[in-house]
Amino acid sequence: MSATEQSDVQATNVAPWNTKLVALVTGGVSGIGEATAKALRARGDRVITVDLRNADINADLSTAQGRATLVAQAERLAPDGIDLVVAAAGVSLGIGDVLGVNFFGAVATLEGLRPLLVKRAPAQAIAITSTAAIGEVDDEVMAACRDGNEEAAKVRARHTTEGDAHSPLEYSSSKRALAYWVRRAAITRDWAGSRVFLNAVAPGLTLTNMTRPMLSDPALVDVINASTPRAVSQPGQAEDLAEAIVAIASLRSGYVVGQVLHVDGGTHAILQPEIY
């Protein structure tokens, strides 16, 4: 093969990434989503935010109606497609519909917006999981998530956590189910085969408006410290996660597929040093 032919082959393997992206970020008016939206705008990207209120698209992703609203409004606002979707909307222990938002809402977001990503392919999609996903989970909740049975997952979660407001099982199960879904979906024809590259970022303890109140509850602090040991002294900031998300969004080769990047101050390495 001549040098010219080699150059031509290499060129076809490097995605002609759009200089300025059209990005959609769920949970985009607070926490990690807000920091990500700000970081993308600082680069000159156009960002469509989604949240319960005060966003470009106001939608409750725990409901079928909210998920349908998200897709319909995204199609209206970005009819020519989207380069990047960041599914950052999420709720934590005792705050809202954990499974409805963290797993079923995230999957509905990514699947529902995939046609818009295909329009702009090569494109990127990033889900936000959690280092909590490496903790204990409920197998029946996980199975129901895998089967797409939202009602069964929620019934089982209520039974499992009944009487224990601090049980992390529903949260950790929702996040591991999402990580597993990303790994399975990313390698399919619909995703990588369509040049839409799906990955995930797993935050460790990150200070946001949602997590700060949890740290005032001694019982929850014990749960958090046990599940998220760190090699660094400080917890993460939303901007730390945004930096990692934007870095993934900037990748051009299309060779990073189905990965879960832990941005956690070393939590994953401490708890599972032989798993990489």
Side-chain angles (χ1 to χ4, degrees):
M1 182 182 292
S2 70
T4 300
E5 289 171 330
Q6 288 178 333
S7 177
D8 289 343
V9 170
Q10 291 170 350
T12 63
N13 290 331
V14 176
W17 230 236
N18 298 301
T19 303
K20 302 301 180 185
L21 304 182
V22 177
L24 182 144
V25 181
T26 68
V29 301
S30 65
I32 295 169
E34 180 184 24
T36 300
K38 287 181 178 178
L40 290 168
R41 289 193 181 108
R43 303 192 324 166
D45 299 327
R46 177 193 172 200
V47 181
I48 300 168
T49 56
V50 182
D51 218 306
L52 290 172
R53 59 190 65 83
N54 302 321
D56 299 308
I57 300 174
N58 296 322
D60 181 352
L61 299 181
S62 71
T63 69
Q65 181 179 351
R67 297 163 193 168
T69 295
L70 162 61
V71 174
Q73 291 300 311
E75 291 172 344
R76 180 182 66 83
L77 292 171
D80 296 327
I82 295 172
D83 299 288
L84 169 68
V85 170
V86 180
V91 295
S92 192
L93 295 173
I95 306 173
D97 186 344
V98 172
L99 280 165
V101 177
N102 292 1
F103 178 75
F104 291 100
V107 171
T109 294
L110 294 163
E111 288 281 23
L113 298 178
R114 185 174 53 79
L116 290 174
L117 289 162
V118 172
K119 282 187 176 184
R120 302 276 287 194
Q124 290 271 10
I126 302 170
I128 305 302
T129 59
S130 172
T131 52
I134 64 179
E136 183 182 1
V137 299
D138 185 89
D139 290 338
E140 291 187 34
V141 171
M142 294 284 294
C145 289
R146 182 195 61 223
D147 295 339
N149 191 332
E150 186 167 358
E151 181 178 359
K154 291 179 178 179
V155 169
R156 173 61 184 176
R158 285 195 295 270
H159 174 74
T160 301
T161 60
E162 187 175 3
D164 184 1
H166 296 134
S167 172
L169 277 177
E170 184 176 9
Y171 182 79
S172 59
S173 298
S174 73
K175 291 299 190 178
R176 189 186 297 183
L178 181 58
Y180 281 3
W181 179 86
V182 167
R183 298 276 285 171
R184 291 194 302 268
I187 57 176
T188 64
R189 180 176 299 179
D190 284 345
W191 288 92
S194 298
R195 296 194 305 155
V196 179
F197 308 116
L198 174 63
N199 293 284
V201 169
L205 176 60
T206 305
L207 294 181
T208 65
N209 289 338
M210 182 173 67
T211 60
R212 283 189 180 90
M214 296 168 57
L215 298 179
S216 65
D217 184 329
L220 278 178
V221 169
D222 289 341
V223 171
I224 291 168
N225 287 337
S227 61
T228 58
R230 300 184 306 277
V232 298
S233 59
Q234 74 279 6
Q237 303 291 328
E239 291 74 17
D240 299 328
L241 275 298
E243 182 179 37
I245 292 166
V246 171
I248 294 175
S250 302
L251 296 174
R252 299 180 63 247
S253 70
Y255 213 56
V256 178
V257 175
Q259 300 304 302
V260 179
L261 174 63
H262 290 264
V263 184
D264 59 10
T267 297
H268 185 231
I270 293 169
L271 295 177
Q272 295 185 331
E274 297 181 356
I275 296 177
Y276 61 92

